Amino acid sequence: YMGHFSPDLNRPAIAPMYNIKAEAFMEEITRAQQELNVWRDAQISSAAALKASYSEAQRNFKLDKQHILEVEAKLVAETQKKKAVVEQRRIAQRALDAEIAALKQQLESAEVTRSKMEVCVITERESVRHRTLALEEAERNREKSSIELERGVDFFRTRLGLRFESRADNGLRMVFTNIDPMAFEREFFFTVIVSSENKYELIECEPALDTSLTGTFLDQVNESNDLSFFVRCMRKAFKDSLF
């Protein structure tokens, strides 16, 4: 919201940039917020899906490996036991032959099982490869969206006198110009962060505004999650503070 004020014949003329319509400003801010939300949700969903898939594949691989080890250990124990029987009871050759035949059948069955497991592992590896390719494609799309977002930011800065700055504490600073008709380059800015409770907090405001007013703005944005509305309210409050 750009606001209105009565012209003062003693003040210099307002630059054309200062008279940009409020509707255009609101639309651009809203669109930027929507694009940010879509990108953020897509990245969170993609990362969560990949993490869950990877964890499931890792768990299955461990279970398969443990099962193979157990089968192999059992087979080794059985083989050693049968060899001892052959040495100690030569007279029971016929019975021993039957047991060896049964053991061979078990070995064949275990081999079939192992082969099936190997096929499952190969299939899972292929699935992981496809998911990796999908993730790479998503990353390329994210980079493309980031470029488009940068263009939008440039538009805000050059046309609407608004720019965004990232801070080391993960805060987002929004800097306005074209507010003070006596000094268009004068900067008005504030910084917001998202708390551990997933709520917006105002940690910086220059020049300072009435805390009851900014508190109302924060309550509204935390209820609606409409950051663009909060930005418009702050800009209007900065402008109203000049009069």
Side-chain angles (χ1 to χ4, degrees), residues 73-89 96 99-100 103:
K74 180 179 179 181
L75 293 175
V76 170
E78 292 273 347
T79 301
Q80 291 177 347
K81 179 180 178 180
K82 298 308 178 184
K83 286 181 178 180
V85 171
V86 171
E87 290 294 332
Q88 296 175 7
R89 302 181 180 179
L96 183 59
E99 291 180 3
I100 291 175
L103 181 58

Side-chain angles (χ1 to χ4, degrees), residues 32 88 131 134 163 179 231:
Q88 296 175 7
R131 288 194 292 270
R163 72 175 188 272
I179 290 182
V231 173

Side-chain angles (χ1 to χ4, degrees), residues 46-221:
S46 178
L50 182 59
K51 181 178 179 181
S53 177
Y54 175 77
S55 297
E56 180 66 16
Q58 189 178 45
R59 185 180 68 83
N60 290 336
F61 178 78
K62 289 181 178 178
L63 291 175
D64 291 344
K65 182 179 179 181
Q66 181 62 32
H67 180 68
I68 291 173
L69 291 175
E70 291 175 355
V71 171
E72 290 179 347
K74 180 179 179 181
L75 293 175
V76 170
E78 292 273 347
T79 301
Q80 291 177 347
K81 179 180 178 180
K82 298 308 178 184
K83 286 181 178 180
V85 171
V86 171
E87 290 294 332
Q88 296 175 7
R89 302 181 180 179
R90 292 179 179 274
I91 60 174
Q93 188 67 46
R94 184 174 297 178
L96 183 59
D97 290 342
E99 291 180 3
I100 291 175
L103 181 58
K104 287 181 178 180
Q105 186 176 5
Q106 292 180 22
L107 288 171
E108 291 173 357
S109 177
E111 182 64 26
V112 171
T113 301
R114 189 182 68 175
S115 297
K116 291 180 179 179
M117 290 180 180
E118 288 177 350
V119 171
C120 291
V121 170
I122 292 173
T123 302
E124 185 60 30
R125 285 177 180 173
E126 185 66 15
S127 177
V128 171
R129 186 181 70 85
H130 284 298
R131 288 194 292 270
T132 300
L133 292 175
L135 181 61
E136 291 173 352
E137 178 66 21
E139 178 64 17
R140 287 192 292 270
N141 291 336
R142 184 194 67 78
E143 292 176 356
K144 181 179 178 181
S145 298
S146 179
I147 292 174
E148 293 176 353
L149 182 59
E150 287 294 332
R151 291 175 180 171
V153 171
D154 288 339
F155 175 82
F156 292 147
R157 181 173 60 251
T158 58
R159 296 290 301 277
L160 305 180
L162 170 62
R163 72 175 188 272
F164 303 93
E165 297 177 355
S166 296
R167 299 193 353 161
D169 58 1
N170 294 324
L172 178 63
R173 174 183 288 171
M174 302 185 190
V175 184
F176 298 99
T177 56
N178 300 332
I179 290 182
D180 189 343
M182 302 300 295
F184 287 112
E185 297 303 320
R186 179 185 175 188
E187 293 186 347
F188 297 71
F189 59 87
F190 66 90
T191 299
V192 294
I193 61 171
V194 178
S195 69
S196 59
E197 299 178 353
N198 200 30
K199 291 184 178 294
Y200 289 106
E201 294 182 357
L202 183 67
I203 62 172
E204 180 182 40
C205 183
E206 180 63 34
L209 297 174
D210 188 338
T211 55
S212 63
L213 182 63
T214 57
T216 299
F217 296 160
L218 285 171
D219 290 340
Q220 292 172 342
V221 71

